[in-house]
Amino acid sequence: MALCVDNVQRSISSKPIEIIEMVLSICGFMQQSSRYSQKLLDDFKECQGYMMLVDCLIKLSIDIKINEKMEPGMRIKMFKRLIEMIVSLCYCGSAHAQSLHMIDFSDAQFQMQKFRVPERSSKTTCLRNIHAFMALQTVFLHSDDEVVCGVIIDAIADIYKSDDVNYFMVESQSTLCLFAEKIHLKSRIVQDKFFEVIDFIVFKLNYIPRKELIAVSIILKTNQDLKTSIACIGLFLRLLRHNSIFIDVYREIGVLEVFVTCLKRYKNYLDNTSATEKSFGKVTMEISGK
């Protein structure tokens, strides 16, 4: 296994497209063998195989961007195939992910009534391989390409949706919090997908993701991009309309103070600014008036 990984690492810089088939073969073999033994997955991890996957994805994403006018469809197709294979690896092996009883829900002062801690299942869609999941997370953070980031966040959303327990299995990795730090640098399409994932956690899992909401409030506070700030406000407003408990949650985690800061920042020129800026002020005041 170490020799295979080393050969890929040596070739990926010069021949990213050609090497993908080799990587897919290695991953496919590991996927099949994991039904009977954890050995190959452990060997792959020990010889930095997941870092090799990250390198492959990053190099391929760069290749897509550089050669966007030369067969972009083929390169994107190869990228998607590799992402799909890594997603399949997320469901392979023994359940080394953090035990649910180690996630402390007791600190939450407020929680929705319908929320129940999901039990780890034996279904094939239950997340078992955090290292594969982390490879997806790492590439998203390193890429600024709309197609690449869109494919990855769709894959992560599919993992969360495939089993209710999966989000909680990797909750300690703070994936969405890390994404929030760079989401203002991503395209609007990718931003929309990001906020849809948070919607899913609240609307479908009935869970209040405090860390993620705090991360989103920091985006508002730093005010790095107006349209992103409007999207953040839109998220807070949707959640508040969904369940009035969020007004207490916002107070608990300091989001209301951020709203006040936003209102102070914009109140002096809302009447003489663009429609976009007026929209920001309008939705902020709507939440503040709840």
Side-chain angles (χ1 to χ4, degrees):
M1 180 60 74
L3 182 60
C4 289
V5 172
D6 184 62
N7 286 337
V8 171
Q9 289 280 29
R10 291 173 183 273
S11 306
I12 188 61
S13 295
S14 58
K15 299 182 292 184
I17 292 294
E18 291 81 353
I19 210 68
I20 295 302
E21 289 293 346
M22 182 188 299
V23 175
L24 290 171
S25 297
I26 294 172
C27 292
F29 187 62
M30 288 195 300
Q31 182 186 14
Q32 294 296 322
S33 68
S34 67
R35 300 175 184 177
Y36 310 101
S37 171
Q38 180 78 18
K39 175 64 175 170
L40 281 183
L41 286 175
D42 290 341
D43 288 348
F44 189 71
K45 173 180 174 292
E46 289 300 319
C47 62
Q48 303 300 313
Y50 293 101
M51 286 306 301
M52 177 269 289
L53 291 179
V54 170
D55 288 343
C56 285
L57 289 170
I58 291 176
K59 296 286 174 46
L60 187 54
S61 67
I62 293 173
D63 191 63
I64 290 172
K65 197 167 186 177
I66 293 175
N67 299 284
E68 59 183 352
K69 295 182 180 179
M70 298 174 57
E71 299 184 276
M74 183 266 289
R75 287 174 167 79
I76 293 171
K77 182 178 179 180
M78 294 296 289
F79 184 86
K80 289 181 177 179
R81 284 183 62 194
L82 186 52
I83 291 292
E84 289 170 359
M85 180 58 74
I86 294 174
V87 169
S88 69
L89 287 179
C90 289
Y91 305 126
C92 294
S94 303
H96 289 311
Q98 175 182 348
S99 299
L100 289 181
H101 70 268
M102 295 177 65
I103 301 176
D104 187 6
F105 298 99
S106 62
D107 290 340
Q109 184 177 353
F110 302 101
Q111 195 56 263
M112 288 188 284
Q113 290 184 349
K114 293 182 180 180
F115 174 68
R116 298 291 183 274
V117 180
E119 296 182 1
R120 176 181 289 165
S121 70
S122 59
K123 294 190 297 185
T124 56
T125 53
C126 182
L127 180 63
R128 291 177 171 80
N129 187 346
I130 285 185
H131 305 293
F133 181 88
M134 293 298 293
L136 299 175
Q137 174 178 309
T138 302
V139 176
F140 182 91
L141 293 172
H142 280 80
S143 177
D144 60 358
D145 183 82
E146 178 180 302
V147 174
V148 169
C149 292
V151 170
I152 292 176
I153 202 163
D154 281 342
I156 289 176
D158 288 342
I159 291 171
Y160 287 161
K161 293 174 183 178
S162 65
D163 195 307
D164 287 351
V165 77
N166 287 346
Y167 165 77
F168 300 99
M169 297 284 275
V170 290
E171 189 269 349
S172 63
Q173 305 301 321
S174 300
T175 299
L176 297 179
C177 296
L178 294 173
F179 286 5
E181 293 178 5
K182 294 196 173 186
I183 201 65
H184 67 282
L185 302 174
K186 311 296 184 182
S187 71
R188 183 60 183 271
I189 292 175
V190 175
Q191 289 184 25
D192 288 344
K193 291 176 183 290
F194 167 78
F195 290 114
E196 285 171 5
V197 175
I198 299 180
D199 285 341
F200 165 78
I201 295 169
V202 175
F203 299 157
K204 300 300 182 182
L205 301 183
N206 295 306
Y207 178 68
I208 299 176
R210 281 166 174 75
K211 290 195 302 183
E212 287 83 348
L213 295 181
I214 291 172
V216 171
S217 73
I218 292 173
I219 300 174
L220 268 179
K221 189 173 183 178
T222 55
N223 190 36
Q224 299 192 62
D225 178 77
L226 182 59
K227 290 185 178 180
T228 305
S229 296
I230 292 174
C232 295
I233 288 288
L235 170 70
F236 287 128
L237 186 56
R238 287 195 302 276
L239 301 187
L240 185 56
R241 286 170 174 166
H242 174 68
N243 194 316
S244 60
I245 195 176
F246 278 94
I247 197 65
D248 295 317
V249 173
Y250 295 164
R251 186 180 296 110
E252 175 196 3
I253 63 178
V255 175
L256 289 182
E257 287 81 356
V258 176
F259 293 158
V260 172
T261 300
C262 291
L263 287 173
K264 288 180 178 178
R265 185 185 298 152
Y266 289 98
K267 71 175 182 177
N268 294 326
Y269 61 90
L270 277 175
D271 291 337
N272 300 309
T273 52
S274 67
T276 299
E277 290 167 327
K278 288 181 179 180
S279 174
F280 179 85
K282 181 178 179 181
V283 292
T284 304
M285 287 187 286
E286 182 174 350
I287 295 179
S288 300
K290 292 290 184 178

